[in-house]
Amino acid sequence: MKIQKEIIDFEEDKSFKIFEASMKHRFFWHYHPEIELVYVEAISGIRHVGKDISGFMESDLLLVGSNVPHLNFDYGIKTEYKQIVLQLKENFLDEMILPVPEFDDIKKLLNRSYLGLSFYGETKKIVARKLHLIKEKNPFESLIALMEVLQILSQSTEVIELNKEDTRVKWFLNDKIRMGTIYDYINENYDKNPNVNVIAEMVSLSTPAFCRYFKKQTNMTFTDFVNNYRINQAKMLLLQNLCISEVSFQVGFESLSYFNKLFKNHIGETPTSFKKKHLNKVES
């Protein structure tokens, strides 16, 4: 699968769109020139923005910049979830924000969004409530509410930069290798036995050259990346109340003890502790 450019349609008299999205069965590795704000509420999920691939628990609020490759944030979620997506027209920054000096902080926020920003804490709670309300307002009031949301985000210190460098789509298009092909291979084979020799051949590199290339692009070895992907998948399966040995097998580990050790190294607690703590939250 190659990375895809998503074509986003807007109503003629609207400068942004907001909607509830559901694409959990589709692996949609894509980009678009529109800046996007996404709120996902789920027991557990995976976020994949630029070079970053990591998991989230309970909810996540993400600001994804123009032309930054990302995976749909509800992909693979196997429990109930809610997702609100807000997309700004391509010219929103230039025409709505830049000419207004009072929006200087918002301008800086949107310019910085190319790193992929994940918000947490009170910021996430406040913005989530406001996003739900925006959908119910008339066009003028919804635009004012959007500006309030952007101002809140621009002032927040409760934010994580998911990438440390520019990962906009030129990073892919200027490279002879399409990372989308590699990610797709891992997604299809993480529960089997992903073979570095196979994927190296698929992208026309020798195995040593592929390993150097992959480490440069992701800051991880191929094996570490696959294991990280497996652990994130395991978190979602554990929250379906599957037994630990079954989860270990389903995500591709032949050794239960190795799975337990790796899970604790990644998450900071054992699968048993993780499952007990978070399932109790769901049930309560």
Side-chain angles (χ1 to χ4, degrees):
M1 179 190 297
K2 303 296 185 183
I3 187 170
Q4 300 178 57
K5 180 178 181 179
E6 182 183 9
I7 305 300
I8 298 175
D9 296 319
F10 291 85
E11 293 181 38
E12 189 172 340
D13 58 344
K14 299 289 179 62
S15 57
F16 71 96
K17 66 186 297 186
I18 184 168
F19 58 98
E20 295 183 4
S22 179
M23 297 176 61
K24 66 179 181 179
H25 299 302
R26 184 180 179 190
F27 183 82
F28 189 35
W29 177 237
H30 65 290
Y31 68 97
H32 40 73
E34 296 81 6
I35 295 173
E36 182 173 81
L37 181 64
V38 181
Y39 175 70
V40 187
E41 197 172 281
I43 297 174
S44 177
I46 293 176
R47 60 184 173 214
H48 190 169
V49 181
K51 293 184 179 183
D52 176 79
I53 179 169
S54 50
F56 67 86
M57 299 296 301
E58 299 180 359
S59 63
D60 204 5
L61 177 66
L62 300 123
L63 184 65
V64 182
S66 173
N67 290 320
V68 174
H70 56 285
L71 186 65
N72 48 306
F73 298 105
D74 59 348
Y75 174 72
I77 293 178
K78 298 176 174 63
T79 55
E80 291 186 7
Y81 72 97
K82 297 178 181 178
Q83 180 175 222
I84 297 179
V85 177
L86 189 151
Q87 296 165 329
L88 307 177
K89 267 190 174 178
E90 187 175 355
N91 60 2
F92 190 91
L93 176 60
D94 291 337
E95 296 186 3
M96 300 284 291
I97 304 300
L98 291 182
V100 183
E102 288 80 3
F103 290 159
D104 189 57
D105 287 340
I106 296 176
K107 177 187 74 174
K108 292 176 182 176
L109 169 76
L110 298 182
N111 281 334
R112 185 169 150 234
S113 66
Y114 75 92
L115 295 170
L117 305 176
S118 174
F119 294 87
Y120 59 92
E122 285 301 308
T123 301
K124 180 172 65 173
K125 293 178 183 177
I126 293 168
V127 170
R129 288 196 295 268
K130 288 185 175 293
L131 287 176
H132 283 97
L133 292 174
I134 286 176
K135 295 186 302 168
E136 311 302 325
K137 296 179 180 292
N138 63 45
F140 177 78
E141 291 176 337
S142 65
L143 178 60
I144 298 301
L146 169 60
M147 292 304 184
E148 290 178 354
V149 163
L150 294 177
Q151 182 67 10
I152 290 168
L153 296 177
S154 73
Q155 298 292 306
S156 176
T157 58
E158 298 175 310
V159 59
I160 300 168
E161 294 179 349
L162 299 180
N163 292 280
K164 300 303 179 185
E165 59 190 287
D166 191 348
T167 62
R168 282 171 284 198
V169 75
K170 63 181 181 181
W171 175 65
F172 291 87
L173 300 183
N174 291 341
D175 201 299
K176 295 179 182 178
I177 310 301
R178 291 297 183 95
M179 285 298 292
T181 301
I182 299 171
Y183 290 146
D184 189 45
Y185 174 78
I186 293 171
N187 175 63
E188 292 295 325
N189 293 279
Y190 73 89
D191 56 339
K192 306 177 185 72
N193 187 24
N195 189 316
V196 67
N197 299 305
V198 171
I199 186 59
E201 185 176 352
M202 286 174 64
V203 295
S204 304
L205 285 174
S206 68
T207 299
F210 172 82
C211 290
R212 289 192 298 271
Y213 168 80
F214 191 84
K215 182 69 178 289
K216 180 181 177 182
Q217 302 299 347
T218 65
N219 299 318
M220 301 174 74
T221 66
F222 182 76
T223 299
D224 287 343
F225 189 95
V226 170
N227 283 337
N228 183 55
Y229 197 92
R230 285 170 163 172
I231 294 301
N232 278 304
Q233 294 291 338
K235 285 163 59 180
M236 292 191 286
L237 292 173
L238 287 169
L239 295 175
Q240 294 179 62
N241 207 18
L242 298 178
C243 71
I244 293 168
S245 59
E246 183 178 354
V247 169
S248 173
F249 175 77
Q250 283 199 29
V251 299
F253 289 101
E254 296 179 359
S255 166
L256 178 59
S257 61
Y258 181 61
F259 168 70
N260 286 330
K261 178 181 178 181
L262 202 63
F263 191 97
K264 186 172 182 179
N265 287 343
H266 276 75
I267 309 303
E269 58 186 329
T270 65
T272 301
S273 174
F274 172 88
K275 181 180 177 182
K276 182 178 180 180
K277 180 169 69 178
H278 293 287
L279 278 180
N280 285 342
K281 285 184 181 180
V282 174
E283 290 168 358
S284 61

